Amino acid sequence: MDILNLIGQYGGWSWLVAGFVLLGLELVVPGGILVWMGAAAIVTGLVHFLFPGLGWPVEVLIFGVLSLVSIVAWLRFRPQGEATDRPFLNRRADRFIGQEVVLNEPIRDGAGRVSLGDTMWRVQGPDLAAGAKVRIIGADGALLKVEAA
């Protein structure tokens, strides 16, 4: 079935149904965009009932403009979240960057181990003997990248 014929045949009801379907999809695929498109479709349906003489091209234009304006406004003015006192809570390895530590196991062929807190971490860097002091310069997952200090 052609969507434009559907809109022309059922008018505002098709916009209302499409709006509620988009709002329902937002529950399944969260992200925020479909909420604003659903709201734009519902408003377009209400506009159709208030001004019944509008044709479907004008309604599609209203829907497009309302969708774009509401999405852009939401992306620009949405809350960014609060600053936290624990910025590395879910990025545990990143909090060690810049620290100098002593190697527990030598780095051979680019791989070794170091103890930080109660955990042994794998390290990657130049070949060094056990007991050498290294500086953590990066992290790739649970692998710490080091250089000689």
Side-chain angles (χ1 to χ4, degrees):
M1 182 181 295
D2 190 18
I3 292 180
L4 296 178
N5 289 334
L6 180 74
I7 293 172
Q9 183 178 359
Y10 294 106
W13 292 111
S14 60
W15 286 112
L16 292 176
V17 168
F20 287 116
V21 166
L22 287 168
L23 290 175
L25 282 174
E26 180 64 33
L27 295 173
V28 177
V29 186
I33 302 295
L34 295 178
V35 167
W36 301 108
M37 291 180 71
I42 291 171
V43 169
T44 303
L46 296 175
V47 167
H48 173 83
F49 289 123
L50 292 174
F51 305 102
L54 295 177
W56 66 263
V58 174
E59 292 174 2
V60 171
L61 180 68
I62 290 170
F63 170 72
V65 169
L66 284 175
S67 293
L68 286 176
V69 167
S70 61
I71 290 170
V72 168
W74 175 71
L75 290 173
R76 179 151 172 91
F77 299 114
R78 68 180 167 181
Q80 297 299 322
E82 298 176 17
T84 178
D85 60 339
R86 300 180 74 185
F88 299 118
L89 180 63
N90 293 323
R91 298 181 323 207
R92 191 171 168 210
D94 290 347
R95 70 175 146 188
F96 298 126
I97 295 175
Q99 290 186 14
E100 292 185 4
V101 293
V102 176
L103 287 174
N104 288 47
E105 295 179 14
I107 300 178
R108 289 191 195 122
D109 298 324
R113 292 190 182 272
V114 67
S115 178
L116 288 167
D118 61 351
T119 307
M120 290 291 286
W121 290 80
R122 292 181 307 131
V123 294
Q124 179 183 32
D127 290 352
L128 295 168
K133 198 169 195 179
V134 293
R135 179 178 302 110
I136 301 170
I137 58 171
D140 183 19
L143 178 69
L144 301 175
K145 298 180 180 186
V146 297
E147 66 182 8

